[in-house]
Amino acid sequence: MSTPGHTQGPASGDAAAAAPRAGYAIIEAIRRGEPVTGQTHEQVRDQPAVIRAADFSLWYGKSRALHAVSMPVPRHRVTALIGPSGCGKSTLIRCVNRMNDLVEGVRVSGRMELEGSDVYAPGTDVIGLRRRVGMVFQKPNPFPMSIFDNVVYPLRIHGQRSRSELAERAERALRGAALWDEVKDRLRQSALGLSGGQQQRLCIARAIAADPEVLLMDEPCSALDPVSTLRVEELIQRVSERYTVLIVTHNMQQASRVSHFTAFMYLGRLVEYGPTAEIFQNPRLPETEQYVSGRFG
Amino acid sequence: MATQRLSIRRVISAGAIAGSAAASVAIVAVLAGVLWYILWRGVGAISWEFFTTDPTGDPTGDPAAPGGMRHAVLGTLALLLMASAVGVPMGILTGVYLSEYAGERWLAGPTRFVCDVLAGVPSIVVGILGYELLVVPVGGFNAYAGAAALAFIMAPIIARTTEEMLRLVPDSYRAGSLALGASKSQTIVRVVLPAAAGPTLTGVMLALARVAGETAPLLFTAGGARLISADLGQPFPSLTQQVFDYATSPFPSQREVAWAGVLVLIALLLTINLAVRLLLWRTRARAKPR
C-alpha cells in the first residue's frame, strides 16, 4: 500500500495550462517538478488537530494525485478545501475514511492520522474508522427505504435493536440536521420522495446519527438549488459545534461563508492554508490571491 | 430528380411500415388462434372433478372415466416449490457473487459464460443427465430428480438476471453504506439486495414460468404417476407429463382431459406472467418519486 518517496515527474499539463503567466514561484516549481512545501499559517498550526496528513501522497495506478501533502485539521472547526477541478481535494478527504480503498490501483505513502494514529497502518479497522468519520457525498444518496430507516441505518448495522433507542436517536439526528419539523409526520415514507435539499440534509442526519468525530463533506451543495444550499450551509455551521468538519467546495463564496479555515490546493499540492478570512482577503501567496479573486482555476 | 427520389423513399417507407404491421398482426393472430383453440378444446373437460379427482381405473386408463388431474396440478406445484427451494437461493447467491464480489477476478468470466450456456442448454439434455445421475443410481423415477432437473434449469437464469439487476443499483448506495461503517456483506444484504428486490423477484418468476412448462426433463426424472404420493422417492406426477401421456392416448376421453390440462398449464403461465408485470409496474411506480 505505501511505497516510494518523491519521484516528482513534470506536472501533468491540463490544469497547469490554466495557470497564470510567469512570476509565481510555487507554480513554477511545480512545473519544474520540484517538491513544494505549502504555506501553512501559524494560526492553523496553533490549533489542536484531529486529523493530520503528513507527507501524504497518493497514486491512482501510475498517475500521482497527491504530492506530499502535510496538513492538520483543527478540532470542532470547519475546514474548507478549495482549488480547481482535479487538484486532489476530493481524493484527499476520501483518504481520511479510506473510501479510496474502493478504487482499483490506489497506493499511498506518508501518514494520514486520526487522533494520532495512522489510518493506513496495517491492521487498521476500516469499519471502525468509518464509524468515527462520517461522510456526505456530492449527490444526495438516501437509500431507497423510509426516512426513519435511513437515519437509523448506521445504528442498526452496529447492532442497535431497541426501538425506543432508535426512535430517540433518529429524532436527535434529524433535529441536528434541521429536518425534524419537515419530516416528523412522514418518517415511514420513502426517503426518495423528499426534495433534493431535504435528501441531502437527511444524508447529513444519517451521517451524524452514529455520532462520528469527523464529518467529511464532498461538495455537499453542488447538486442543490440556492435555497437548499443556504440551509445546508447553516447546518454545517451548526454541526461544527460538535463535530470537526472537512468540506470540499468549488464555490469560494461558500468556503468563505461556512469555514473557519481554508486550504488552497493545486495540482495535488497544498499551496496555502490559513484562517478563511486571511486566505480570502490577505493571502500570502500570489497564486492564492489569483485563485480566490477568480483569475484562474 | 430529388423529389422523385424522395417519393421512391416514401413508397419504400410505407411498404416497410405496412410489412412490419402485417407481420405483427400475423403473430398476434396466430397466438390468439392458438389460445382460442386451446380454450375451445379444453374448457369442455374443465370441471370440479378435474381439480378434485385423480385418474381412475387401472393404469391403462378407463376410457369411460379418465378422472381428473388433481395429482398433476399438485405435482407440478410441488415440483416448482422444491425446485425453487434449491434453484432460487443458488441463483441469487451466484448473481450476488458475480455482481458484488467477482469483479474482474478470474472466476467471474467462466462463471458468467457457464451460466449463459446452461441457460440455453436444451432441456432434454438436462433430462437425460438427470436420468443418468439421479434416476439410474437409485433405481427409479423420483420427485427429487425432477425437482433437481428443474432447479438446474432455473439457477443459471436467475443468476444472470440477478446479476444484471444488482448492477443497476447505483454505486452511490454502496458507497453511502460503506461510508457509514457497514461491512460489505451488510451493504449487500441491507441496501443492495432490497434495492433490487422487485426486478430480482421478476427474474425468479420468469424462471419459474420457464420451468413450469418443461416436459422433457421431467419425463426422464420424475417420470409420471397416476396419483400423488407424499413419498418423494417414488415416480411423481406433473401437468406436462400427464398431458404428454394423455395426448398420445388412444382413448378420446383421455385426450379431452389432456386439452383441459393444457388449458390449466397456460392459465398458470399467464398468471405468473401477469404477476411479473404487476410487480414491475409496482416497483416502477415506487421508484418514480424524486
Side-chain angles (χ1 to χ4, degrees), chain A residues 203-219:
Chain A
C203 292
I204 295 172
R206 192 174 64 185
I208 62 178
D211 250 328
E213 295 156 44
V214 176
L215 201 53
L216 306 173
M217 299 182 132
D218 191 355
E219 297 185 44

Side-chain angles (χ1 to χ4, degrees), chain A residues 41-52:
Chain A
H41 298 203
E42 314 64 56
Q43 294 98 312
V44 178
R45 277 190 249 124
D46 294 344
Q47 296 280 330
V50 177
I51 303 164
R52 186 183 296 277

Side-chain angles (χ1 to χ4, degrees), chain A residues 99 127 130 141 143 153 157 192, chain B residues 172-173 175 177-178 181 186 289:
Chain A
M99 284 303 278
I127 286 171
R130 289 178 186 155
N141 60 347
F143 304 134
Y153 182 82
I157 57 173
L192 302 183
Chain B
S172 65
Y173 291 170
S177 173
L178 292 173
Q186 283 174 323

